[in-house]
Amino acid sequence: MIPFLDLKTINAEYRNEMIEALTKVIDSGWYVQGEEVKEFEREFASYCDFKHCIGVANGLDALGLILRAWKQLDYIKEDDEVIVPANTYIASILAITENGLKPVLVEPDPKTYNINPKLIEQAITKKTKVILPVHLYGQFADMTSIMDIANLHNLLVLEDSAQAHGRRSNLNEHNVWGHASGFSFYPGKNLGALGDAGAIITNDSLLAKTIRILANYGSSKKYVNLYKGVNSRLDEIQAAILRIKLKKLEKDTEYRSVIANHYLNNIKNPLITLPEIRTSSSWHLFVVLTEYRDNLSDYLEKNGIQTLIHYPIPPHKQSAYSEWSSQSYPVTERLHNQMLSLPISGVQKIEDTKKIVHFLNSFIPE
């Protein structure tokens, strides 16, 4: 079986370094907010070419804390509107509603799967304060257009970069990135921890300071609480793991590109639609479209190839947001009904990739 994602093999490459790093943390006697976290924050900020990085507990907290800090700083207020893709993973929207803000769902470009900038401007009202683009599946949203819109309307931009590790540093020269960005280091991400972990990057020093306080119970000094904060801190063990894997992130991303390009150049089945790549991608996922998704998934499974669906149910059809159940987002709904994620990772063998392509091209629905 060709697995969708072989985490055991991925982490085996780092096993000895991880054991050494974990031993160092254990022997240090310091397990929260220590030197490993400080060094990872410095290294990840440098890698992304940003001034500040704040390690947090997970990717959802990363997004939520940015919005919470903007509220604390009076940049935004209760019931303000946040424009967000209709086809994102639900975490992007949970971060908005948990802060008492109103998500405004905007349809994606059906070819790139990312939010359609042409529709963003149509969704702006007097209450709009934030645009939250998602770099879905690793391909960067059209940040040039998004920042032009944001600057024209004086809006904040929060990037959901949970799937976009890598490729940022060599694009930052264009200076089209948002005011803050949230990352997830869930184990299956391109830069994955051995548990939950996340981070925030920003060039706004006041925002960074406020987030750091909010994430530590609202405290910058022990037992002195400035704000009603939360407990969301990156721990020493996960930071130590991430420091090891960060060193090889660019190499891993380049290899993912090799696999992705092989898919793009060799999948010829007219029943399968390939993604259109207009910006840079970290290739977290390789997602195709087909009207015969279930048939194709079963066919590949029978031939020893595991696939997944990201994501089977769009946010506006989830019970958690039942108030939106009557709303219609036809592009989003079509994408969610047709998307199928193919295997891709830094340890996937080229011969396995060729096998996957062979069976994709051989597929004929029954």
Side-chain angles (χ1 to χ4, degrees):
M1 174 68 73
I2 300 173
F4 178 77
L5 183 65
D6 186 353
L7 285 177
K8 184 176 179 180
T9 299
I10 287 171
N11 287 315
E13 177 183 357
Y14 308 99
R15 179 180 176 83
N16 291 337
E17 289 179 272
M18 286 179 176
I19 291 173
E20 183 179 342
L22 293 178
T23 302
K24 180 181 175 182
V25 171
I26 293 168
D27 291 347
S28 75
W30 194 294
Y31 309 121
V32 179
Q33 292 187 314
E35 290 303 314
E36 293 295 334
V37 170
K38 290 177 184 176
E39 286 302 304
F40 173 73
E41 289 177 340
R42 181 186 62 78
E43 290 162 2
F44 194 65
S46 176
Y47 171 79
C48 295
D49 197 20
F50 272 68
K51 291 181 181 178
H52 305 284
C53 171
I54 306 98
V56 295
N58 55 68
L60 174 58
D61 283 3
L63 297 176
L65 279 163
I66 294 167
L67 293 170
R68 190 184 184 107
W70 280 340
K71 286 184 71 177
Q72 188 69 52
L73 294 169
D74 293 325
Y75 295 176
I76 57 177
K77 62 181 185 300
E78 198 89 0
D79 294 324
D80 279 343
E81 294 176 353
V82 179
I83 291 175
V84 64
N87 64 315
T88 187
Y89 181 58
I90 199 169
S92 311
I93 295 171
L94 290 172
I96 298 169
T97 56
E98 75 177 12
N99 278 288
L101 303 167
K102 181 182 177 182
V104 176
L105 307 185
V106 169
E107 289 268 57
D109 182 315
K111 295 183 178 180
T112 67
Y113 316 147
N114 277 328
I115 192 168
N116 190 336
K118 295 178 181 177
L119 300 179
I120 291 176
E121 198 143 21
Q122 298 175 22
I124 294 173
T125 72
K126 291 181 179 179
K127 292 185 70 65
T128 304
K129 300 300 178 188
V130 181
I131 303 174
L132 199 163
V134 179
H135 304 310
L136 198 63
Y137 309 139
Q139 182 177 186
F140 285 99
D142 182 358
M143 291 303 296
T144 300
S145 298
I146 290 170
M147 290 308 298
D148 285 345
I149 294 168
N151 291 332
L152 179 64
H153 296 276
N154 195 30
L155 303 176
L156 294 164
V157 175
L158 164 54
E159 297 175 73
D160 183 339
S161 297
Q163 300 182 1
H165 315 77
R167 297 296 194 193
R168 173 175 291 273
S169 57
N170 61 0
L171 289 174
N172 205 40
E173 62 193 43
H174 299 297
N175 196 30
V176 292
W177 304 120
H179 301 96
S181 183
F183 288 84
S184 166
F185 303 124
Y186 184 77
K189 303 298 186 183
N190 293 27
L191 180 60
L194 296 185
D196 277 318
I200 295 160
I201 59 171
T202 183
N203 286 323
D204 185 334
S205 298
L206 179 58
L207 176 64
K209 179 180 179 181
T210 305
I211 290 170
R212 198 174 291 281
I213 293 171
L214 283 169
N216 187 40
Y217 299 101
S219 173
S220 60
K221 182 180 179 181
K222 196 169 185 178
Y223 303 131
V224 178
N225 301 82
L226 299 176
Y227 311 132
K228 297 174 183 177
V230 297
N231 176 19
S232 182
R233 300 174 298 201
L234 178 63
D235 70 67
E236 285 289 283
I237 288 176
Q238 301 303 342
I241 297 299
L242 291 168
R243 289 186 67 198
I244 293 167
K245 298 177 83 172
L246 179 59
K247 297 173 185 176
K248 297 183 179 178
L249 179 57
E250 281 300 303
K251 180 181 177 182
D252 179 81
T253 304
E254 289 297 330
Y255 186 73
R256 285 173 177 268
S257 296
V258 171
I259 295 171
N261 286 328
H262 189 83
Y263 283 147
L264 291 170
N265 293 329
N266 293 283
I267 297 173
K268 303 297 183 182
N269 192 325
L271 300 177
I272 299 170
T273 301
L274 301 173
E276 186 171 300
I277 307 304
R278 297 178 189 165
T279 63
S280 182
S281 179
S282 63
W283 292 114
H284 173 57
L285 298 173
F286 192 97
V287 180
V288 299
L289 301 178
T290 178
E291 295 180 9
Y292 304 95
R293 180 176 68 191
D294 291 344
N295 289 339
L296 178 57
S297 178
D298 290 344
Y299 171 77
L300 293 174
E301 183 80 19
K302 289 175 183 177
N303 286 284
I305 300 165
Q306 184 184 33
T307 60
L308 291 179
I309 299 172
H310 297 87
Y311 303 95
I313 305 172
H316 70 284
K317 294 299 184 182
Q318 297 282 2
S319 297
Y321 291 104
S322 58
E323 64 271 26
W324 297 340
S325 61
S326 63
Q327 296 184 22
S328 176
Y329 297 92
V331 176
T332 291
E333 289 160 20
R334 180 175 68 82
L335 292 179
H336 281 256
N337 286 333
Q338 295 185 9
M339 286 180 161
L340 186 67
S341 298
L342 305 180
I344 186 169
S345 77
V347 297
Q348 183 170 307
K349 297 176 181 178
I350 296 300
E351 52 264 38
D352 286 342
T353 305
K354 291 179 178 179
K355 178 181 177 181
I356 294 166
V357 170
H358 167 74
F359 282 107
L360 287 168
N361 287 335
S362 302
F363 170 70
I364 301 174
E366 298 177 357

